[in-house]
Amino acid sequence: MLHVAEAARVSVATVSALINGTATVSPELSQRIEQAIRDIGYKRNAIARSLKMGTTRTIGLTVPHITNPFFTDVVSVIQQAFDRAGYAVMLCCTDEDLNTQDDQIRLLLDRMVDGLIVARVGDGAILKRIVDDANVPVVLLDRICKGVDTDAVVLDNQRAVFDAITYLINLGHRRIGYITGTSDISPMHDRMAGYREALHAAGLPIAEELIRFGNFHEIDGYNETMQMLSSHDRPSAIFSANNPMVIGTMKAIRDIGLSCPEDISVACFDDFPWSDVFQPQLTTVAQPVQAIGEQAANLLLDRLAGNRDAPPRKLLLKGRLMIRNSCRPLGAIAQSVSA
Amino acid sequence: MLHVAEAARVSVATVSALINGTATVSPELSQRIEQAIRDIGYKRNAIARSLKMGTTRTIGLTVPHITNPFFTDVVSVIQQAFDRAGYAVMLCCTDEDLNTQDDQIRLLLDRMVDGLIVARVGDGAILKRIVDDANVPVVLLDRICKGVDTDAVVLDNQRAVFDAITYLINLGHRRIGYITGTSDISPMHDRMAGYREALHAAGLPIAEELIRFGNFHEIDGYNETMQMLSSHDRPSAIFSANNPMVIGTMKAIRDIGLSCPEDISVACFDDFPWSDVFQPQLTTVAQPVQAIGEQAANLLLDRLAGNRDAPPRKLLLKGRLMIRNSCRPLGAIAQSVSA
DNA sequence: AACGCTAATCTAAACGTTTCGATCATGTCA
DNA sequence: TGACATGATCGAAACGTTTAGATTAGCGTT
């Protein structure tokens, strides 16, 4: 900018005024300055600007896995929304690891992001502390957090799983396997509650050996499914509480020589873009990814626009059961339902 | 930092020296300073640091679509690599749009990223200009670019498609539909060349009506497949040059009342994580995503480490044909091959 | 005791902006 | 014509760091 000012024989203040339109500058000088900018190929240094202004027009976004189609879609929507608003997005993947997450959030805050969207991992205590003394607005995505009282957008997970399990029960299933992630994050906790509630409402017993804990990855779904199917009294249906794990479930079913839905019914949380193309077409609980991403972005953009003091807003969205052909009616009921 | 210095009754220079370990500071002062840092909860302002140092320890990454599993995987790998190296990653999705891409690259350069990894879109001319006068190292990913002479890591696309089409030909297919994206980007161009080369090598004629151009999205694959299958002389196999479009192809096959592989064989570029679980199990050309991501990251990290003057390095990786069950042998050959 | 050497610490300039308040020319009005 | 408002422009401080070079203190040599 200094060079531009010199070339145009004006002060840097005038150049700044012209660029930002913060003051009127005469047509004559405007022209000289614009010419100089072109000649020199001047580009404003956003870092210097950020330092002075105290805002970077950049937000931080952390998700557990970017390879999980649910997060991929949400990230994509969020990215577009902030793009439109002239913000850059710094993306971090925490890989479901608490320390990684803490490091990354610190990294983002060091870089003075103006706001944060976090699909958190693990215990909220550290997150709470970080968020408290960082002075930026935070939106919790997908996963809320007891101690952290801030904007959030989450699914009504309990209800969604309740509906899915009830659907299986209505098909005649009695022993329904349930594969979940560690329940220290709210969606896993709530989904599990939905499972229990549905069985309870139907007057069915809860077989604890049918509730299996994995670590969100395909391999975990595989291992847990293997164990369940190897038992003498195997379930007739399996519900997987997340998307990568259901792939493991399907592989285990195949490897053990069974087939879906003939021998065993399968449903899972989170829809796949291709779930109605390949066989079996998985019955899933679809999250409104577009809405989730947009709402999260809007909540944060609203705070960034200055609305700092409004009380925390919690948005609870509804999932939708996408019934396809991966679940079979069972026994007597089968006749009436499949008719 | 000023507050810390005051609280510890030292100068800011000493605080800086301690934090960065750039000079020895006495145990006594060290302790006072560390105490002050804790008391105040001081965090170094990375923006101010960047301004002074001329480096942001942040890189920019642009991809056409983050929802395409290929890019998702690569982004994930790259993200991890830079994470390890203490860099942040700014992610942008250009949505295959040239203007969006230009805007985003400018946005990234404004923010003084230290380097750029670009899976480019469209004509390279503007990209070249931007890259030339921005003074940061650039690595081209997946798509090279005539005028832009810089580090790059790409697949040997021509060879990969040649192998896939040859495989189909060996199965007995003679009319092989080919659905591609616009060929102004190198992979589409090269893949097409592989298609033509394979037919040519087998002495087969090239039916131009079987070569269809889409815009990378599912809907394009759907439309083009619909048209091909509605013709009186439909192909016995279809190869889709990208991943989202093949989903459209599969949907079209289903909607038109045919089935794969019984009525029509299908193969495509880019592997899916779930492609060997659901039916039909797609035969695909798998890219070594891990290697691609790592190599791209390494190339850039090497430049960032100071190796600025080395001549541009072009890495050409090999694809791998993953043969599954979505392609059927045809006619007489069928017997011998399937035996 | 004067000197030089080393280690520890500090002062102040610099990075590239924005912005407040000052300056200056111009035109208007009484 | 003098006073004054207006509009355009500028000078300089500030944002929070890093760092070159200055300063100081301590200590061993001669």
Side-chain angles (χ1 to χ4, degrees), chain B residues 10-11 13-14 24-26 29 51-52:
Chain B
V10 299
S11 76
T14 309
T24 49
V25 3
S26 69
L29 289 202
L51 177 60
K52 183 66 191 166

Side-chain angles (χ1 to χ4, degrees), chain B residues 114-174:
Chain B
D114 291 343
L116 230 34
I117 298 183
V118 178
R120 82 178 180 84
V121 140
D123 174 26
I126 301 175
L127 179 62
K128 177 177 164 53
R129 191 151 44 77
I130 293 178
V131 165
D132 280 353
D133 50 57
N135 215 7
V136 301
V138 175
V139 174
L140 255 29
L141 178 72
D142 180 58
R143 306 166 172 204
I144 55 172
C145 199
K146 271 269 172 48
V148 185
D149 197 29
T150 178
D151 290 347
V153 24
V154 292
L155 200 79
D156 187 344
N157 284 287
Q158 179 163 352
R159 175 60 185 273
V161 172
F162 176 87
D163 289 348
I165 300 297
T166 300
Y167 162 73
L168 287 171
I169 294 172
N170 287 342
L171 285 182
H173 293 278
R174 291 295 170 263

